[in-house]
Amino acid sequence: MIKNHLTIAFRSFLNGKGYSFINVTGLAVGMACAILLFLVIRHETSYDLAQSRLDRIYRVETENIKENHTYPGTYTGMANALRADLPEAETVAPIMQRGGKTMVAGMPATGMPATGVPAAGVPAFRESVVFADNALFRTLDYTWVAGDPARALSQPNAIVLTRGYAEKYFGTVDVLGNTIRMDNKQDLTVTGVVEDYPATTSFPFNMLVSFATVKQVDPGFEENKWNGWNDNFQVFVVLKNDVAPEQLIGRLESVVVKYMGKEALSDKRFKLNHLSEIHYAGNFGGRSANVGLLKTLSVIGALVLLIACFNFINLSTARAFKRAKEVGIRKAIGSNRKALIYQFLTEAGLITFFAGTVALVLSVLLLPVLAAALAIPLAVDDLFTGSTAIFTGFLLLMTTLLAGIYPALRLSGMAPIWALKSNATVRAGQWFSMREGLVVVQFAVSLVLICCAMLIDRQLDFFRNADLGFDKSAIITVGLPDNKPEKLHTLREQLIRSAQIRGVSFSFNSASAESNWMQAMEYREGPKVVQVKTQMKMGDSHYFDTYGIRMLAGEPLKDSDTTRNFRIVVNEIFLGRIGIANPRAAVGQRVYYGDGNEFATIVGVVRNFHVNSLHQKIDPTIIQVVPNNFYQAGIKLQSEKPTSASIQSALADIEKAWTGAFPDQVFEYSFLDETLAQAYQSETRTARLIEAATILAVLIASMGLFGLATFTAEQRTKEIGVRKVLGASVGSVVALLSRDFLKPVVLAILIASPIAWYLMNQWLQNFEFKISVSWWLFAVAGSLMTVIALVTVSFQSLRAAMLDPVRSLRSE
C-alpha cells in the first residue's frame, strides 16, 4: 500500500506541475524561515547555560525606584559590603571592564627592556581588559591550560590570557612568567592561560588583570565608593545551596541602610538577577538579545510558514473537482475513508519532502547573510547538528499535517454518488468560502507586516534626523591613553594647526553616550533637601563649542575650574528636579555631592540635550572640568559636510598629532554620528528582518492567489466564451474575474489595520521619544496590497479574457 500511495502521489505531483511548483516553493520558503529563525533563537537563548553553578549565580543590580529603571552596574563598595554582610553568599566576584588599553608583548620572564619602551617591530594592540580576582574562577567555569586558579590573580600586575591571546602575543601557550606592557606603564606578568571562551557567553574576556592592579592604573579609584556607579563595574555572587534570592530582600535593604542611609530606601534598591537572564540586559559581551525581537521573529516565522500551508490547502481544495471522480470510484470499489486520508497525506508528505530539501538549500545560502545582519556567530555547520535535525524532522511532520490534514479530510469525505455526478463541482461553493477565508488571513498577515515595516522605518528616520540638542555631524572621537595636562596641551596645539579642524575638546565621553557616570547630588535650601540622581559629563572649556551645546544662562566652564569647590554647568532637567524655574536664578546656587560636605557652584545652564539614546529620558546632567577623567578627544572638522578628501586629510593630521603625543600607542578613531547610530542596531535589524519577512509573505500569498486565479480561469473558460460571443468586452471580463478576488483583500485591509495599529503602538512604548501612528500609513499599505493583488489576478484574468471564444466553447 505504501508503494501504491507513493506512486499515485508522484502522478498527482507531475500532473499538476504548476500547482506543485507553487506549493513546493511556498512551503520551502516558509520552512527555510522557520529553520533559520530556530537557529537564531536557539543561539540567543543558550547563553551561559553550560555553567556548572548556573542555578546559584546572580548579578547584583541597582534599581532606581522613582525612575523604574534597573542598571546592571553597581557601587564599587558593593563587593566588600556583600562579603561582610551577606553570609548566604558563597562567593562574591567583582568585575570591572576597561577598554582602549594598548598592550605590547614584553620580553620573556625579564619584562620590558630597561628603557621601558617596547622593542622596535613588536606589534601593539588596542584591547579591552577586565579587572577581577580569583573569585571569578570560583564563579565561572574555566578550563586551565597553565597556571593555578587559586593564586593566578592574587598579586598586583598579574594577567591571565586565553589560549588565542597567548598565541596572538607570543605564538605559544607556554607563556607563564612572560610580560605584557599595558599603556606603556605597567608590566603585567602572565600567571595563567585558559581555554578560549565559548561563543554563547556573556563574559568574552581575553585578558584578565588582577584587581589589585586597579589602583596603579587609576589612582583615583575608590574601592568603597557609595555615591556613584558605572555599568562597567559589576558584582556577581554565588549563593550557597538551598538559598533563594527572595530570602535576601531584607539583607539587601540592610546594605542600603548601612552604607547609604535609611532615607535612600525610598529611591534605591538592589536586586539579584539570575545569570541566565543577563544576556537580555546590559552585559560585558557588548550585545544583548532583545526578548521582544525573539518573540517577534518566532511569530513571523510561524506566520510565513502558515501562509505557505494555506496556499497548499487552498490549491488542494480548489482542485478537488478533478479528484472527485477518482474518490468516487475508489469508494465505490471498496476503499474506506482511512485509506483515502493516508493517500492524500502521502501526497502532502511528498510535496513537503521536496519543499524541505529546497528549504535546506535555501538555509545554507541564506544563513551567512542572516548571521551577518544580526551579528550572530552562526555557521553552516549549525544546520547539521542533532538539535537542528530533530527540529527539521518535527517541522516536516507538522507541515505535512498542517497543510495536508484539511484537504485529506474534505476530499475523503465525499459521498460516492455525489462525487460521481458530472455537476459535482456545484457543491464546491462551500469550499470556496473556506478558501476565501484563508486568502483573507494570508493578506491580513501580509498587510500587518507591511504596516509594521513602514512604521519601523519611519521611527528609524526619526532617530536619524531628531534634534539631539547638540551637533553630532563632522565630529571624530579618539581615545586618550594619557590625560596628563602637558600631553593634552601639546596634542591640542598640534591638532588646531590643521586647516581641516575647527575645534578640539577633551572629555570623559561624548555629549551622548551609552556608557555614563551616575552621581547622587543634593540641593539644600534651608531644611529642605532634594536628592537628584545625576549624570556626570566631564569636559574642558571647549566642550560646549565642539559639540554645539547652547547656553541659556551664566557662562561656560573654564579650564581652571578644577579646585576643590567645583564650578559646574547644569541642564534644564536638573533645574526642574531641584525646583528652580528660571535658569538665571540658578546661577550661583550650590549643590552637594551625595550627602557629604563637598559642593559645586552652578555657573551656567545649558539647553537640554540627549545624553542617552532616544530610548531613554534626558537625565539631569552636570558638566564639570575633571582632567583626571578625560579619556576621549572630540575633534570638530571645519566643514559640516566634509568631502572624502578632506576627511582623509583631517585623519592624517589627527593621527600624526596623536602619535606624536602618544608614541607606541595604537591609534583608533570613530565618527560620532556612526557611534550614536549603533544604539539603534536592534531596531535596524528588526526593520530589515520584518522587511524581508514582508517580501516573503507577500510573495507566497501572491503565488497562492495566482494559482487560484489560474484555477478559476480554467473553471470559467466556457462562461467566458459565452460572454464574449454575446458581446462582452475584454475589460468587463477582466473586471468580472478580478472582482471576486478583491473582496477578501478589502476585508483583509479592514481586519489588519486595527491589529497593526495596536502592535505598533505597543512597540513604540519602548521609546521615550517616538513618532505617532498616522492613518495615512494604513491607507498606503492597503493601496499597495490592493495593487499587488490586482496585478497578480489580472495576468490570468487578461489571459482568459483574450482567449478565442471558439476555443473556449470547445473546452468541455
Side-chain angles (χ1 to χ4, degrees):
M1 288 301 295
I2 295 176
K3 181 180 179 181
N4 182 60
H5 288 331
L6 287 173
T7 301
I8 296 173
F10 268 109
R11 286 177 183 169
S12 177
F13 182 86
L14 295 175
N15 286 339
K17 294 183 180 66
Y19 299 110
S20 298
F21 173 79
I22 292 174
N23 283 332
V24 169
T25 303
L27 288 176
V29 171
M31 292 172 69
C33 284
I35 292 171
L36 291 174
L37 294 181
F38 166 76
L39 292 178
V40 171
I41 294 169
R42 184 189 63 179
H43 173 85
E44 294 287 24
T45 55
S46 62
Y47 273 67
D48 305 310
L49 299 185
Q51 295 291 334
S52 61
R53 305 174 187 85
L54 174 65
D55 59 326
R56 298 190 290 134
I57 302 176
Y58 294 84
R59 181 172 65 187
V60 182
E61 299 181 344
T62 306
E63 181 184 7
N64 188 287
I65 298 173
K66 293 179 181 177
E67 293 187 357
N68 191 30
H69 186 76
T70 300
Y71 297 86
T74 190
Y75 300 89
T76 59
M78 181 61 71
N80 288 335
L82 295 180
R83 286 167 181 154
D85 303 318
L86 193 69
E88 293 85 354
E90 179 181 290
T91 305
V92 177
I95 303 174
M96 184 169 71
Q97 188 175 51
R98 289 285 179 88
K101 299 294 181 183
T102 297
M103 312 296 280
V104 183
M107 301 177 68
T110 58
M112 303 298 292
T115 59
V117 179
V122 176
F125 301 96
R126 196 83 163 163
E127 307 284 11
S128 174
V129 302
V130 167
F131 295 93
D133 57 26
N134 295 317
L136 179 65
F137 307 130
R138 300 192 300 273
T139 303
L140 304 177
D141 296 332
Y142 285 90
T143 302
W144 285 76
V145 178
D148 182 0
R151 298 186 301 168
L153 296 179
S154 298
Q155 300 300 318
N157 300 320
I159 185 170
V160 173
L161 303 176
T162 58
R163 175 187 288 272
Y165 265 53
E167 294 174 345
K168 173 181 176 179
Y169 279 84
F170 300 101
T172 177
V173 295
D174 186 16
V175 295
L176 294 188
N178 285 10
T179 61
I180 290 181
R181 169 152 288 192
M182 181 168 62
D183 280 344
N184 204 21
K185 297 176 182 177
Q186 276 82 29
D187 288 340
L188 307 175
T189 302
V190 180
T191 57
V193 178
V194 297
E195 290 292 353
D196 293 334
Y197 54 82
T200 52
T201 182
S202 299
F203 307 93
F205 304 151
N206 288 299
M207 293 183 151
L208 296 167
V209 181
S210 59
F211 216 99
T213 314
V214 174
K215 288 292 284 186
Q216 298 182 28
V217 176
D218 182 7
F221 177 78
E222 299 179 31
E223 193 173 354
N224 292 295
K225 185 178 180 182
W226 288 94
N227 63 348
W229 77 89
N230 191 304
D231 286 341
N232 286 329
F233 180 86
Q234 299 180 15
V235 175
F236 292 81
V237 298
V238 180
L239 299 182
K240 294 179 180 178
N241 288 318
D242 302 322
V243 175
E246 295 79 13
Q247 300 172 230
L248 305 179
I249 295 175
R251 293 276 194 194
L252 295 176
E253 287 181 353
S254 298
V255 170
V256 176
V257 174
K258 181 177 179 179
Y259 296 97
M260 305 182 70
K262 190 174 181 179
E263 62 280 359
L265 282 174
S266 62
D267 188 47
K268 201 72 57 185
R269 182 161 51 206
F270 298 122
K271 301 167 62 176
L272 295 179
N273 193 16
H274 194 262
L275 179 63
S276 62
E277 297 296 322
I278 69 171
H279 181 56
Y280 309 105
N283 61 74
F284 289 119
R287 60 177 298 272
S288 300
N290 187 310
V291 177
L293 176 58
L294 294 180
K295 292 180 179 177
T296 301
L297 291 179
S298 302
V299 172
I300 288 175
L303 290 176
V304 172
L305 182 59
L306 198 63
I307 288 175
C309 292
F310 285 175
N311 273 356
F312 186 96
I313 295 171
N314 270 340
L315 294 179
S316 296
T317 53
R319 295 178 65 227
F321 84 100
K322 292 187 175 180
R323 309 290 298 275
K325 285 186 170 56
E326 174 191 343
V327 172
I329 292 172
R330 282 174 174 270
K331 284 194 169 186
I333 61 177
S335 179
N336 58 37
R337 187 176 186 186
K338 185 177 180 181
L340 288 171
I341 290 175
Y342 285 154
Q343 173 62 56
F344 292 121
L345 283 178
T346 301
E347 294 177 12
L350 182 66
I351 289 177
T352 303
F353 173 77
F354 288 143
T357 304
V358 177
L360 186 60
V361 175
L362 290 175
S363 299
V364 170
L365 297 174
L366 296 176
L367 182 58
V369 178
L370 180 65
L374 294 179
I376 294 177
L378 290 174
V380 173
D381 290 345
D382 293 309
L383 284 167
F384 302 100
T385 62
S387 58
T388 307
I390 293 172
F391 174 79
T392 304
F394 176 77
L395 183 66
L396 289 170
L397 176 62
M398 292 305 299
T399 304
T400 299
L401 293 176
L402 187 63
I405 194 68
Y406 178 76
L409 292 174
R410 293 295 298 178
L411 293 173
S412 64
M414 293 179 181
I417 297 177
W418 176 82
L420 289 170
K421 287 183 179 179
S422 59
N423 64 343
T425 55
V426 175
R427 292 280 300 276
Q430 184 180 359
W431 298 349
F432 178 77
S433 298
M434 174 66 181
R435 293 198 299 274
E436 191 174 41
L438 295 181
V439 170
V440 170
V441 174
Q442 285 181 312
F443 279 88
V445 170
S446 301
L447 190 63
V448 168
L449 291 175
I450 290 175
C451 291
C452 291
M454 292 174 63
L455 189 133
I456 292 174
D457 275 337
R458 286 192 64 222
Q459 180 68 17
L460 289 174
D461 284 338
F462 172 75
F463 287 153
R464 286 188 284 265
N465 302 314
D467 180 9
L468 301 180
F470 67 92
D471 188 4
K472 66 178 180 179
S473 61
I475 293 180
I476 296 173
T477 59
V478 182
L480 299 174
D482 193 336
N483 51 27
K484 288 186 175 64
E486 59 274 15
K487 287 271 190 182
L488 299 188
H489 177 75
T490 302
L491 178 59
R492 182 192 304 280
E493 290 298 315
Q494 292 294 323
L495 287 172
I496 61 177
R497 290 177 186 174
S498 171
Q500 303 295 337
I501 295 174
R502 181 191 305 176
V504 179
S505 173
F506 303 127
S507 59
F508 175 72
N509 56 17
S510 305
S512 179
E514 290 298 290
S515 176
N516 296 306
W517 185 319
M518 306 307 296
Q519 173 74 48
M521 301 295 291
E522 283 188 0
Y523 175 64
R524 303 168 187 173
E525 188 179 17
K528 178 185 176 184
V529 176
V530 180
Q531 294 184 337
V532 183
K533 181 181 70 66
T534 307
Q535 186 169 147
M536 307 299 288
K537 288 288 183 185
M538 300 165 193
D540 59 14
S541 60
H542 304 275
Y543 192 76
F544 304 104
D545 289 337
T546 300
Y547 290 101
I549 300 171
R550 187 158 61 89
M551 298 290 301
L552 296 179
E555 61 183 18
L557 297 171
K558 301 175 182 178
D559 287 333
S560 58
D561 294 338
T562 56
T563 58
R564 182 173 179 81
N565 295 326
F566 291 109
R567 287 157 47 90
I568 62 172
V569 171
V570 303
N571 68 350
E572 297 170 275
I573 297 288
F574 185 89
L575 292 191
R577 294 289 174 86
I578 65 175
I580 298 178
N582 187 347
R584 291 187 178 87
V587 177
Q589 297 291 326
R590 290 182 176 181
V591 291
Y592 291 80
Y593 294 89
D595 56 359
N597 295 320
E598 286 191 343
F599 66 87
T601 303
I602 299 175
V603 298
V605 179
V606 294
R607 175 191 172 196
N608 286 332
F609 61 97
H610 289 272
V611 293
N612 305 307
S613 70
L614 295 173
H615 295 91
Q616 305 173 44
K617 295 179 181 179
I618 300 177
D619 289 329
T621 304
I622 285 177
I623 306 101
Q624 65 182 89
V625 180
V626 188
N628 289 340
N629 289 316
F630 290 170
Y631 298 113
Q632 178 179 283
I635 303 167
K636 178 70 175 179
L637 302 184
Q638 283 287 1
S639 174
E640 289 291 332
K641 296 181 179 180
T643 63
S644 177
S646 64
I647 290 175
Q648 292 303 316
S649 176
L651 287 174
D653 292 341
I654 294 169
E655 183 173 8
K656 181 180 178 181
W658 191 92
T659 305
F662 310 112
D664 306 311
Q665 301 285 348
V666 179
F667 174 74
E668 291 182 344
Y669 68 91
S670 60
F671 290 93
L672 179 59
D673 53 355
E674 295 177 354
T675 301
L676 297 181
Q678 292 176 3
Y680 311 108
Q681 283 184 343
S682 176
E683 288 76 27
T684 303
R685 290 167 182 160
T686 302
R688 301 293 83 82
L689 287 171
I690 290 182
E691 286 171 1
T694 301
I695 293 172
L696 294 178
V698 172
L699 178 64
I700 294 171
S702 298
M703 288 173 62
L705 196 62
F706 181 84
L708 287 177
T710 303
F711 167 76
T712 301
E714 291 176 357
Q715 285 293 92
R716 303 178 73 174
T717 300
K718 191 169 185 178
E719 175 191 344
I720 293 170
V722 172
R723 288 179 178 275
K724 291 192 71 176
V725 168
L726 295 177
S729 65
V730 171
S732 64
V733 173
V734 170
L736 173 71
L737 295 177
S738 300
R739 185 173 59 232
D740 290 340
F741 288 103
L742 287 181
K743 291 177 183 177
V745 173
V746 172
L747 183 58
I749 294 172
L750 296 177
I751 293 173
S753 295
I755 295 174
W757 179 88
Y758 173 78
L759 293 175
M760 285 298 92
N761 269 290
Q762 291 297 111
W763 182 74
L764 288 171
Q765 300 310 308
N766 296 319
F767 309 102
E768 191 64 33
F769 300 91
K770 50 185 176 285
I771 62 172
S772 58
V773 182
S774 304
W775 65 269
W776 60 263
L777 184 143
F778 304 103
V780 171
S783 301
L784 179 63
M785 197 81 264
T786 303
V787 170
I788 291 172
L790 262 177
V791 171
T792 303
V793 173
S794 296
F795 178 79
Q796 282 297 341
S797 300
L798 190 61
R799 183 180 176 186
M802 296 182 69
L803 194 66
D804 186 350
V806 175
R807 292 180 58 190
S808 300
L809 293 172
R810 287 177 178 174
S811 63
E812 295 184 9

